[in-house]
Amino acid sequence: MQQTDQYAFSTFQVRNNDSTITKKEQVTEVSFQTYTEQFFTLESTPATDYPNYSSPSGASVSSNRSPFSPPGSHSCASDLRHTPDNTYSSPLSGSSGAEDENKLLHALWVLRHELLGPESETDDSGFYNGIASQPSPFTRYNKILEMAHHMDLKQLLIACAEILSEGETLPLSDQQVAISAAEALMDIIEKMVSVSGEPAQRLGAYVLEGLRARLISSGSIIYKKLKCKEPTGSELMSYMHMLYQICPYYKFAYMSANIVIGEAMENENRIHVIDFQIAQGSQWVSFIQALSRRPGGPPHIRITGVDDSQSAQARGGGLEVVGKRLAQVAESCGVRFEFHGAAMSGCQVELENLRIRPGEALAVNFPYILHHMPDESVSTTNHRDRLLRLVKSLSPKVMTLVEQESNTNTSTFFQRFCETLDYYTAMFESIDAARARDDRTRISAEENCVARDVVNILACEGIDRVERHELFGKWRVRLTMAGFAPVQLGPSVRVAIEDMLKEYSSNFGLAESNGALYLGWKNRALATSSAWR
């Protein structure tokens, strides 16, 4: 097993009487790392036993619709604008370096004179009557701004997020201090990001958009402030198809679930599959074809597809489009087939919508969708656990769950920001390895299929924040409490995924732990697949 250096995010702190911004150093781990434990709340306790993993190429430089989220997911994004040379631009872009410097100097002047008072010029030593004290937020902001031009992009983003986070806890009379400092940092960041640059620059453009949106407002008002510009159905389909081809995230979900369900249904003559995110139904084409070749003849297959109405835009029609397509595939394979569409969000699903019939072996599929269901931290209804209990009451032969391996559900804003920066840096790196940086389709795909999730995670709170990922350790707790027991994944699942990954960068890898299969990029776990009953 090869040890790899695991990057730990730097948290900005200013020592008393010291203008140097320090950061935590690297730590060494041998695993797909999700994040260090200080970034978890009690509500989202991580699994302590991460899977062992040996990276083929050393440590990463960093560590919804997205590559994980199907078309028409519930998130919303701001109007991400581009200049002719593909450099990211926001409402305050276009200022010269001199104007940039003037804005920074103005922010410093505000901090020192208007808000801190004249005494800030003479003593910010952090001592009071000879007793050491912590510097005030205003003093720290002042020092961060003084050093801003010597900080790299990642340091600036983290510093800006930390200032925003702290500013939200300040009295209203003092919040302008944090706003002034954050805006000054954003103006500097804006000159360092580009949608056609390196992965960190591309992600930085969308992270900046999320920070700006958060600064504008909070809670339910944020969605009204964000200017959504939805692509046409054909455009969105082309973006999703490109990501499907260049990244293995969809195929990881589809292949692992199909193999698990197929093995569980080996001797069944009547099969009912409930897919809680049917999307275009692509997952079930190969499933039907595989069962058509079963010795002794194919079984009768019935599929119930759950999908909210927003996905109809990407498909160019309602769920009847999916049903017709799958019926044609089944007919060509000589498979008896039925399709039932439930055009609704998973939050709306009740028992009567699933049309359970006696005598059918049931399989339930949750592909990158359960994290969209609000839990107890959002609503007392707790649709996340309600759906799991509903599914368990149906006594399925198997239930498959594929989810992002990230912790953005109940963590605080700053913790969520650090996790998001780490997670999506790895994702942008994986996309970068497969597509040219000036590729317009890639730029559009990242903007419409990935950036939306980033903005939603960073800018929104409460019910408006629909991207609420949890680590496998937390999913395991939820499933156990709902009465599920894990199903051991057979070796055929890993063999199939490993064979599929040969088509992609060697930086993708697999690991197994606690009954789950982990897909990762370099030393960062990005998704897990597991089975339950």
Side-chain angles (χ1 to χ4, degrees):
M1 187 180 304
Q2 172 189 353
Q3 284 194 338
T4 59
D5 290 335
Q6 169 61 35
Y7 190 92
F9 271 105
S10 56
T11 300
F12 287 93
Q13 298 173 331
V14 178
R15 300 180 186 275
N16 294 334
N17 202 26
D18 182 1
S19 62
T20 301
I21 298 176
T22 62
K23 63 181 180 179
K24 298 176 183 177
E25 299 300 325
Q26 292 182 336
V27 297
T28 301
E29 282 287 337
V30 188
S31 64
F32 274 149
Q33 188 67 23
T34 51
Y35 214 68
T36 50
E37 291 195 8
Q38 63 265 32
F39 291 111
F40 296 111
T41 64
L42 182 61
E43 185 58 36
S44 291
T45 305
T48 57
D49 39 6
Y50 297 115
N52 293 329
Y53 174 70
S54 180
S55 171
S57 60
S60 168
V61 297
S62 76
S63 7
N64 207 345
R65 287 172 295 268
S66 72
F68 298 116
S69 301
S73 73
H74 312 57
S75 59
C76 178
S78 54
D79 181 15
L80 300 172
R81 293 159 291 277
H82 310 294
T83 60
D85 61 350
N86 294 336
T87 301
Y88 172 79
S89 174
S90 71
L92 298 180
S93 65
S95 61
S96 66
E99 291 172 339
D100 213 31
E101 185 74 22
N102 288 337
K103 289 179 181 178
L104 182 59
L105 292 174
H106 175 72
L108 285 167
W109 187 88
V110 170
L111 282 168
R112 289 173 175 168
H113 295 274
E114 290 189 359
L115 297 163
L116 294 179
E119 66 274 7
S120 63
E121 289 286 343
T122 59
D123 183 20
D124 61 352
S125 63
F127 284 83
Y128 179 74
N129 290 335
I131 301 175
S133 63
Q134 290 294 324
S136 69
F138 317 125
T139 302
R140 291 190 289 107
Y141 301 164
N142 182 58
K143 292 184 177 182
I144 290 173
L145 289 173
E146 287 176 338
M147 294 193 63
H149 285 302
H150 303 288
M151 295 160 65
D152 62 28
L153 176 58
K154 189 170 186 177
Q155 291 172 328
L156 286 167
L157 288 170
I158 294 176
C160 186
E162 189 171 29
I163 289 173
L164 280 182
S165 177
E166 189 169 48
E168 292 171 357
T169 66
L170 295 174
L172 287 176
S173 58
D174 294 333
Q175 285 185 5
Q176 184 57 43
V177 179
I179 292 174
S180 179
E183 287 179 336
L185 290 180
M186 288 178 185
D187 290 337
I188 298 172
I189 292 169
E190 193 169 21
K191 303 297 182 288
M192 302 173 69
V193 298
S194 169
V195 296
S196 60
E198 297 178 354
Q201 293 175 307
R202 305 202 310 266
L203 175 59
Y206 304 123
V207 169
L208 176 61
E209 186 77 5
L211 293 176
R212 285 198 190 280
R214 189 175 186 88
L215 186 62
I216 291 173
S217 188
S218 63
S220 60
I221 302 176
I222 284 183
Y223 263 162
K224 298 179 178 63
K225 296 287 186 181
L226 299 178
K227 301 175 182 179
C228 297
K229 184 179 180 181
E230 293 286 348
T232 65
S234 59
E235 288 174 337
L236 183 56
M237 282 295 291
S238 68
Y239 303 151
M240 299 299 295
H241 181 71
M242 190 205 77
L243 290 176
Y244 179 86
Q245 293 296 326
I246 69 174
C247 298
Y249 307 119
Y250 286 126
K251 292 181 182 179
F252 172 73
Y254 293 175
M255 291 181 66
S256 60
N258 283 4
I259 294 172
V260 168
I261 294 173
E263 291 178 347
M265 302 296 180
E266 187 175 6
N267 299 314
E268 300 294 339
N269 293 321
R270 300 187 66 84
I271 299 172
H272 181 196
V273 176
I274 300 174
D275 187 349
F276 271 86
Q277 187 61 69
I278 191 72
Q280 280 74 46
S282 303
Q283 176 174 355
W284 307 111
V285 173
S286 59
F287 181 78
I288 293 171
Q289 292 170 339
L291 288 184
S292 71
R293 298 186 292 269
R294 196 169 76 174
H300 179 279
I301 302 174
R302 187 163 67 97
I303 294 179
T304 294
V306 179
D307 205 21
D308 66 89
S309 58
Q310 294 182 40
S311 294
Q313 179 196 14
R315 281 192 300 267
L319 285 171
E320 65 276 3
V321 175
V322 178
K324 183 177 180 180
R325 178 191 182 194
L326 294 179
Q328 291 173 342
V329 172
E331 183 179 7
S332 68
C333 297
V335 175
R336 293 168 296 163
F337 178 79
E338 291 182 60
F339 180 83
H340 165 56
M344 61 185 69
S345 164
C347 294
Q348 300 172 299
V349 171
E350 300 290 348
L351 176 61
E352 56 268 23
N353 305 123
L354 302 178
R355 298 190 182 180
I356 303 300
R357 296 176 187 170
E360 292 181 328
L362 178 65
V364 179
N365 185 44
F366 284 107
Y368 298 127
I369 189 62
L370 201 52
H371 72 274
H372 283 157
M373 304 300 109
D375 71 344
E376 68 279 0
S377 67
V378 182
S379 167
T380 54
T381 307
N382 190 359
H383 289 291
R384 189 170 299 196
D385 289 343
R386 181 188 70 82
L387 271 180
L388 290 176
R389 290 193 297 269
L390 173 61
V391 170
K392 180 58 182 176
S393 71
L394 305 178
S395 301
K397 288 207 68 173
V398 67
M399 186 271 282
T400 52
L401 175 70
V402 181
E403 277 293 343
Q404 292 94 323
E405 183 66 1
S406 184
N407 179 49
T408 62
N409 184 21
T410 57
S411 52
T412 65
F413 163 68
F414 184 66
Q415 295 164 356
R416 195 165 74 236
F417 174 87
C418 292
E419 171 76 349
T420 300
L421 192 61
D422 182 57
Y423 185 89
Y424 283 94
T425 296
M427 183 186 294
F428 272 70
E429 285 180 2
S430 72
I431 297 173
D432 188 71
R435 208 75 169 190
R437 290 178 181 172
D438 60 352
D439 186 291
R440 290 300 309 177
T441 305
R442 179 202 55 75
I443 293 171
S444 296
E446 287 179 345
E447 177 182 335
N448 291 285
C449 303
V450 185
R452 295 170 178 273
D453 290 358
V454 173
V455 172
N456 183 261
I457 293 170
L458 299 183
C460 299
E461 297 293 351
I463 196 169
D464 284 331
R465 181 157 61 85
V466 297
E467 299 300 325
R468 293 179 168 272
H469 310 117
E470 291 186 320
L471 299 169
F472 177 70
K474 184 59 183 291
W475 288 118
R476 185 173 55 192
V477 171
R478 285 191 186 276
L479 289 161
T480 301
M481 292 180 65
F484 285 94
V487 173
Q488 183 65 38
L489 299 179
S492 56
V493 178
R494 177 159 188 159
V495 170
I497 299 299
E498 287 177 336
D499 189 57
M500 178 268 291
L501 288 179
K502 292 176 182 177
E503 305 172 12
Y504 300 92
S505 168
S506 60
N507 287 318
F508 284 107
L510 290 177
E512 288 184 82
S513 181
N514 300 312
L517 189 62
Y518 288 68
L519 172 66
W521 171 261
K522 296 185 178 179
N523 64 333
R524 168 77 207 212
L526 294 178
T528 62
S529 178
S530 58
W532 306 81
R533 63 165 162 255

